[in-house]
Amino acid sequence: MRFERVVVPTRFLLMLAHLIQVLHLLIQRTPHTQAAHDQDDLLSTVTMAKLDSQFVGMLSFSLLALAMAAISFFSGYTMFNGSASFACVMLHLAVSPALSYFIAARRPSDLYFYFSLFIDTPLLTVTAVYTISRCLQP
């Protein structure tokens, strides 16, 4: 069996799972924002608004990385490229269990920064590099 016959559907399903998890976090972000501080500390509306806007910014960056991955995938630039597909599958595979735990355990929103830093930044970089290099080929 060819590598692409396995990787393409796997990559699509993992990308879809990552998207659903990020959208779920975007819709249900209040418990994660409230968990960012101790229970004894009463959050003012200014602090809550600041934490909420930071969390929305990180989730928007994740959506940007997912959009870039989807565009490069559906346009065919990285769909059948073995190394790009493998890198994207590994990144999506790394983030899915972590985000599932993040959602289930209602972890603080400031921890999401590390998911964004170590998963979404390489994902955006891999897809951008392969897409740009493919577009520049004659």
Side-chain angles (χ1 to χ4, degrees):
M1 184 181 289
R2 289 188 48 138
F3 180 71
E4 289 85 13
R5 296 185 91 187
V6 175
V7 171
V8 171
T10 304
R11 183 175 171 199
F12 175 73
L13 290 174
L14 286 171
M15 187 170 36
L16 192 62
H18 189 179
L19 176 67
I20 289 170
Q21 289 171 332
V22 170
L23 288 176
H24 175 77
L25 281 173
L26 190 61
I27 293 169
Q28 300 289 330
R29 65 184 181 268
T30 305
H32 301 285
T33 305
Q34 289 174 344
H37 284 282
D38 296 329
Q39 297 296 333
D40 299 334
D41 183 23
L42 294 175
L43 296 176
S44 67
T45 56
V46 174
T47 308
M48 277 296 288
K50 180 183 172 192
L51 287 172
D52 191 49
S53 64
Q54 288 174 349
F55 194 42
V56 168
M58 289 184 283
L59 290 170
S60 299
F61 180 70
S62 295
L63 287 175
L64 174 72
L66 281 166
M68 183 65 186
I71 289 169
S72 67
F73 178 75
F74 289 120
S75 65
Y77 291 138
T78 61
M79 185 182 290
F80 298 110
N81 187 327
S83 57
S85 292
F86 184 73
C88 289
V89 164
M90 288 298 113
L91 288 169
H92 288 302
L93 193 60
V95 79
S96 291
L99 280 180
S100 296
Y101 175 73
F102 188 83
I103 291 169
R106 303 210 178 213
R107 304 302 301 166
S109 61
D110 52 354
L111 288 177
Y112 191 79
F113 171 75
Y114 298 106
F115 292 126
S116 184
L117 180 67
F118 293 117
I119 301 297
D120 294 328
T121 304
L123 179 65
L124 188 62
T125 304
V126 164
T127 55
V129 165
Y130 278 103
T131 303
I132 290 170
S133 66
R134 180 77 186 256
C135 289
L136 293 177
Q137 288 179 351

